Amino acid sequence: MNDTPRIRTVVSCTFLAVTVTAGATACAGSEGHPLSTRPYDAARHVSFNAPADGKKADPDKALEITAKGGEGRITDVTAVDATGHHLAGELTADGQLWRSTGSLTAGARYTVKVSTEDQEGAPGTRTFTFETAPAKRSLTVEFGPEAGKYGVGQPITADLSLPVKDRKSRAVVERALKVRSTPSVEGSWHWVDDEKLHYRPKEYWPTGAVITATANLAGVKVGDKLYGGESKPLKLTIGDRIEAIADAGSHYMTVRRNGEVINTIPVTTGKPGFSTRNGIKVVLGKEYFVRMRGTSVGIAEGTSESYDLPVYYATRVTWSGEYVHAAPWSVGSHGVANVSHGCVGMSTGNAAWFYETVRPGDIVKTINSYGDTMDTFGNGFGDWNLPWDKWRKGSALVEPNQNAANPPDPTRLRPSI
């Protein structure tokens, strides 16, 4: 049995007896109220499994703190790393063992405070620090696109340095990826594959929005011996809402800025066998000059459909080679017929205007074509062709059988100011 608290009480009483006659009675009463004494040093009454002599703990192993000698019990434990994150844990009913239930952060320094009480109920305390070893395998995130100003349809991308396959690990990653928008909008991540995620709002980004993407993964355990590493944040701003609707049936393109029609352009789209893809596409980039060859899309050289043309004012909307561009060789068909190999062609003057008006992230939508619908992923950004409820099901934070309209933790999924 520990007698340290009683020694302190006696010393205190002796002092009070000299200064205040009635103090003896008050101090004698403290024998029945051990919490009125200052906590004793519980160093020799508790032990922990973190290595000594400056060695670093294995973050894959749980932290355990044990009451030793049968002279008391543990009443509380707080373990906090240098960034202020608390380590979750459980204390046995008899107060003899506390064990961490949360994952330790790799490459972190922890401060642990243990509260105890002896057999007579006197409080004790013990504080110690330890460090965890850095991760041997680190998962980092690269956000895209590059920082800058974009249109309202621009998704945020997150490329992972290593594949993450199981749902539990994906949920850890997704919780750490934060997208915040001012003004606030509802949005969600969608896993494209094991190494890539896309983020988009339910509706297009608001005009003038400021968006930041960050990864709070550093040191976080993702999976077996895999921890998050440092990742660079991203900041974007959103410009006017530019939407171009190419109607393959009427052979005209209507361009709107913030809902107002600013131009109507005669165009030609893909002819039979090369029909332009229907659906929403996002401007990927702009190229003043492109040499377009039929061989790049599988047309054999020398056949009736082969071509090799210099093309100007080319606005790219798919990686496979679909553009909005100048097509002076077919100007007689603009507004009349579809004669291209899949691109949206227009006069050089109109193409130059379009090229100067749009930016990456702006919307180009094709309607009334005989072509297939734009792929959601893999050939540019077809993200907006997936209905919102199906998009949400691509989040690791939404259970497969859960109604995507009612997520379990909307604060994880909705950007905020």
Side-chain angles (χ1 to χ4, degrees), residues 38-342:
R38 296 184 61 182
Y40 63 87
D41 183 1
R44 61 191 181 91
H45 294 155
V46 295
S47 63
F48 60 97
N49 65 339
D53 303 326
K55 294 181 180 179
K56 295 184 178 181
D58 183 350
D60 280 321
K61 294 182 179 179
L63 174 65
E64 292 185 352
I65 301 170
T66 306
K68 61 182 182 179
E71 298 181 353
R73 68 188 188 95
I74 300 168
T75 58
D76 188 40
V77 175
T78 58
V80 187
D81 68 17
T83 64
H85 292 136
H86 285 251
L87 178 65
E90 290 182 348
L91 180 63
T92 58
D94 61 5
Q96 297 302 296
L97 174 66
W98 182 93
R99 189 175 191 275
S100 62
T101 56
S103 298
L104 288 163
T105 300
R109 180 180 177 85
Y110 280 89
T111 299
V112 183
K113 183 177 180 180
V114 184
S115 297
T116 66
E117 64 179 22
D118 68 9
Q119 290 179 329
E120 295 183 356
T125 186
R126 163 72 163 138
T127 300
F128 64 90
T129 62
F130 71 96
E131 295 182 9
T132 55
K136 294 181 180 179
R137 295 173 64 226
S138 293
L139 179 75
T140 58
V141 180
E142 183 177 355
F143 291 113
E146 295 181 353
K149 193 170 187 176
Y150 291 85
V152 297
Q154 180 64 51
I156 306 297
T157 62
D159 291 307
L160 308 181
S161 60
L162 294 169
V164 178
K165 298 182 179 181
D166 69 277
R167 191 175 188 86
K168 182 178 179 180
S169 296
R170 285 186 172 192
V172 173
V173 172
E174 194 173 331
R175 286 191 183 98
L177 303 182
K178 305 294 184 182
V179 178
R180 293 178 171 83
S181 169
T182 305
S184 177
V185 295
E186 180 182 1
S188 174
W189 287 104
H190 184 107
W191 286 80
V192 177
D193 55 39
D194 294 342
E195 299 181 46
K196 181 183 285 290
L197 300 85
H198 284 192
Y199 186 101
R200 51 155 273 207
K202 184 177 181 180
E203 307 293 342
Y204 295 141
W205 296 108
T207 297
V210 177
I211 303 159
T212 58
T214 56
N216 301 326
L217 265 177
V220 174
K221 186 174 183 178
V222 176
D224 184 28
K225 299 187 183 302
L226 177 62
Y227 290 80
E230 296 286 348
S231 299
K232 184 179 179 181
L234 172 70
K235 182 176 180 179
L236 304 179
T237 56
I238 302 300
D240 288 335
R241 177 168 174 159
I242 302 293
E243 300 171 89
I245 313 297
D247 189 335
S250 70
H251 315 294
Y252 274 82
M253 173 184 277
T254 302
V255 183
R256 291 184 174 86
R257 176 186 284 121
N258 300 326
E260 179 183 353
V261 175
I262 57 174
N263 208 345
T264 303
I265 302 170
V267 299
T268 184
T269 63
K271 60 186 175 181
F274 300 91
S275 295
T276 305
R277 296 170 183 82
N278 281 296
I280 301 170
K281 304 148 198 174
V282 174
V283 172
L284 301 174
K286 301 189 293 183
E287 302 163 60
Y288 172 70
F289 171 78
V290 180
R291 185 177 178 182
M292 293 189 179
R293 301 178 178 87
T295 53
S296 66
V297 291
I299 300 174
E301 189 174 356
T303 63
S304 61
E305 294 293 346
S306 68
Y307 58 89
D308 187 343
L309 295 167
V311 175
Y312 292 88
Y313 299 111
T315 300
R316 182 187 283 271
V317 292
T318 73
W319 297 124
S320 63
E322 186 179 319
Y323 289 84
V324 177
H325 64 76
W329 54 84
S330 62
V331 67
S333 298
H334 300 172
V336 178
N338 295 323
V339 298
S340 83
H341 287 88

